[in-house]
Amino acid sequence: MAGYQLTSFEHVLLGLVCLSPSSGYDLKRMFAATPMGVYQPSSGALYPALRRLEARGLVRATGLDAAGESARHRRVYEPTQAGQTAHMTWLRTPVEPSTVSRDLGLHLMRFVMMEHAFSREAVLGFLDDLKDALAAFTSGLERYAATQLDESHPRLALEHGLAVHRASLQWVDHTIATLRAAPEHRDKSPKVCG
Amino acid sequence: MAGYQLTSFEHVLLGLVCLSPSSGYDLKRMFAATPMGVYQPSSGALYPALRRLEARGLVRATGLDAAGESARHRRVYEPTQAGQTAHMTWLRTPVEPSTVSRDLGLHLMRFVMMEHAFSREAVLGFLDDLKDALAAFTSGLERYAATQLDESHPRLALEHGLAVHRASLQWVDHTIATLRAAPEHRDKSPKVCG
DNA sequence: ATCCGCATGTAACCCGTTACATGATTCT
DNA sequence: AGAATCATGTAACGGGTTACATGCGGAT
């Protein structure tokens, strides 16, 4: 049933299907429309990935779309119980400090998907972990930069890394403050549960 | 001789070999040491890639390392004429606005490698193009953000994209100013030429 | 009747990861 | 001598890209 662990792409697809049942084409349009979707999955990546999720029993294809209308030759996927569990487990994956820079886009995706699946406290906990990891990475860069005192291009490129990670850190701080000020989300996991 | 066009990874390796002749193991340590090297190429990626560059006639393996010392079972690569030409062509590749966000790391790499290969004016021209592309991407994000007025997680994630791209833009501005103030680089392409 | 967009899929090819294998050199 | 490091390599496996194929549906 469970081949092995899912790829990041599969986790994202599973998460999107958990947010709202979708066909492959729906997902394709979603990636195309959102500016987040700098990444444009090809048919050869998307459809086989959905089939793999189906083969592992994490999603199931129905003949109906989200509005309940029959869609004969559309495969509308919805999560199974196992799929929702796997999704929640993925959302709860701790932030790995050593790879936080590489995985930042993934963490942002997870943050988006936490909105209707986590309590505000859980989201704030995640953001705290993310902040710590980013702070550690950034101070590592700063320590390294301190050994490179010249004005060479490598040094300047290093400054770019510092600048964007500091911006990420500020975003985390700002977002934590925003969420603390906001009221608890009212509709608690209508579709996604664990 | 020329299979087809090189991958980004191959271009980076070629560029590093152009900066100074290196063995596969040298390159591996370089990726491990520099904090840029969030990416850690595996042996199964690195050595075959160098062999491909060699098969295409872009690099050549000598039995001597950079210091001229014999190194029996080290394969120290140096660029061929064709390799240096290919490298310079890569450095001169225009910045593609539509993929500037995805390719930002690559552009930074190119910027680093331009130091000893380009005149200051050429580097400034590259940075101007990069700035325009980043500005276009950022204002595209801003336009999209204007249609998302709520305080949902997708909106907040969008703010992250805005924050980091604005930071990149500021870096470009600052770097342009720094280079304009600095004197022209004295040692003009001692190793890399076109 | 035809053309275009919807919707899913497949096959060749390439490349990266993981994990293992293999010698040579240096250190203790 | 034995261990760790240097240094290069290979094989299995998985998955993404490109490009092509296919069928249905609505529009002119």
Side-chain angles (χ1 to χ4, degrees):
Chain A
M1 188 77 103
Y4 221 30
Q5 64 180 15
L6 303 182
T7 66
S8 300
F9 181 47
E10 286 166 344
H11 273 299
V12 170
L13 290 181
L14 176 58
L16 292 172
V17 165
C18 283
L19 286 180
S20 92
S22 312
S23 68
Y25 205 76
D26 291 336
L27 297 169
K28 201 178 237 191
R29 271 192 280 103
M30 179 174 315
F31 277 106
T34 185
M36 314 300 291
V38 171
Y39 170 66
Q40 210 73 9
S42 60
S43 301
L46 185 58
Y47 292 110
L50 288 169
R51 290 295 191 160
R52 288 196 297 273
L53 290 177
E54 191 182 23
R56 290 181 191 195
L58 301 175
V59 303
R60 160 182 43 221
T62 76
L64 307 177
D65 62 14
E69 317 213 349
S70 89
R72 271 230 311 286
H73 61 99
R74 288 181 79 212
R75 294 182 62 84
V76 178
Y77 291 98
E78 62 183 24
T80 64
Q81 197 71 33
Q84 291 181 7
T85 305
H87 176 55
M88 284 300 285
T89 302
W90 180 63
L91 287 187
R92 281 196 269 260
T93 303
V95 176
E96 188 61 46
S98 60
T99 61
V100 66
S101 177
R102 195 193 61 188
D103 296 341
L104 193 49
L106 261 271
H107 294 321
L108 265 290
M109 280 278 189
R110 292 207 285 152
F111 168 73
V112 169
M113 294 178 182
M114 286 175 190
E115 180 161 20
H116 301 288
F118 275 17
S119 69
R120 189 181 59 172
E121 281 67 34
V123 173
L124 286 170
F126 165 79
L127 290 175
D128 277 338
D129 290 349
L130 185 58
K131 175 179 173 172
D132 291 345
L134 277 173
F137 183 85
T138 304
S139 66
L141 274 190
E142 280 163 352
R143 271 195 303 279
Y144 184 88
T147 70
Q148 312 280 313
L149 299 171
D150 55 356
E151 281 295 330
S152 64
H153 284 208
R155 165 62 193 237
L156 291 169
L158 197 58
E159 299 284 357
H160 180 271
L162 277 170
V164 299
H165 284 96
R166 283 180 184 137
S168 285
L169 258 177
Q170 284 179 11
W171 174 85
V172 174
D173 279 333
H174 175 260
T175 302
I176 288 174
T178 301
L179 290 187
R180 266 201 234 283
E184 172 78 29
H185 213 277
R186 46 247 162 288
D187 73 312
K188 215 42 162 319
S189 47
K191 293 166 182 171
V192 185
C193 55
Chain B
M1 190 72 106
Y4 220 31
Q5 64 179 15
L6 303 182
T7 66
S8 300
F9 181 46
E10 286 165 343
H11 274 299
V12 170
L13 290 182
L14 176 58
L16 292 172
V17 165
C18 283
L19 285 181
S20 91
S22 311
S23 69
Y25 204 76
D26 291 337
L27 296 169
K28 200 177 237 188
R29 272 192 279 102
M30 181 174 315
F31 276 105
T34 185
M36 313 300 292
V38 170
Y39 169 67
Q40 210 72 8
S42 59
S43 301
L46 185 58
Y47 292 110
L50 289 169
R51 290 296 192 160
R52 288 196 297 272
L53 290 177
E54 190 181 21
R56 291 181 190 194
L58 300 175
V59 302
R60 160 183 43 225
T62 76
L64 307 177
D65 61 15
E69 316 213 349
S70 89
R72 271 229 313 287
H73 63 97
R74 287 181 80 212
R75 294 182 60 84
V76 178
Y77 291 97
E78 62 183 22
T80 64
Q81 197 72 32
Q84 291 181 6
T85 304
H87 176 54
M88 284 301 284
T89 302
W90 179 64
L91 288 187
R92 281 196 268 259
T93 303
V95 176
E96 188 61 46
S98 61
T99 60
V100 65
S101 177
R102 194 193 63 189
D103 296 342
L104 194 49
L106 262 267
H107 293 321
L108 265 290
M109 278 279 188
R110 292 205 286 150
F111 169 72
V112 170
M113 293 178 183
M114 286 174 191
E115 181 162 19
H116 301 289
F118 275 17
S119 68
R120 187 181 60 172
E121 280 67 35
V123 173
L124 287 170
F126 165 79
L127 290 176
D128 277 339
D129 290 350
L130 184 59
K131 175 179 174 175
D132 291 346
L134 277 172
F137 183 86
T138 304
S139 67
L141 274 188
E142 279 162 353
R143 272 194 304 277
Y144 184 88
T147 71
Q148 311 281 314
L149 298 171
D150 55 354
E151 281 295 330
S152 64
H153 283 209
R155 165 63 193 236
L156 292 168
L158 197 57
E159 300 283 357
H160 181 270
L162 276 171
V164 299
H165 284 96
R166 283 179 184 138
S168 285
L169 258 178
Q170 284 179 11
W171 175 85
V172 174
D173 279 333
H174 175 261
T175 302
I176 287 174
T178 301
L179 291 187
R180 267 201 233 281
E184 170 77 29
H185 213 277
R186 44 247 161 288
D187 73 312
K188 216 42 162 322
S189 48
K191 292 167 182 170
V192 184
C193 55

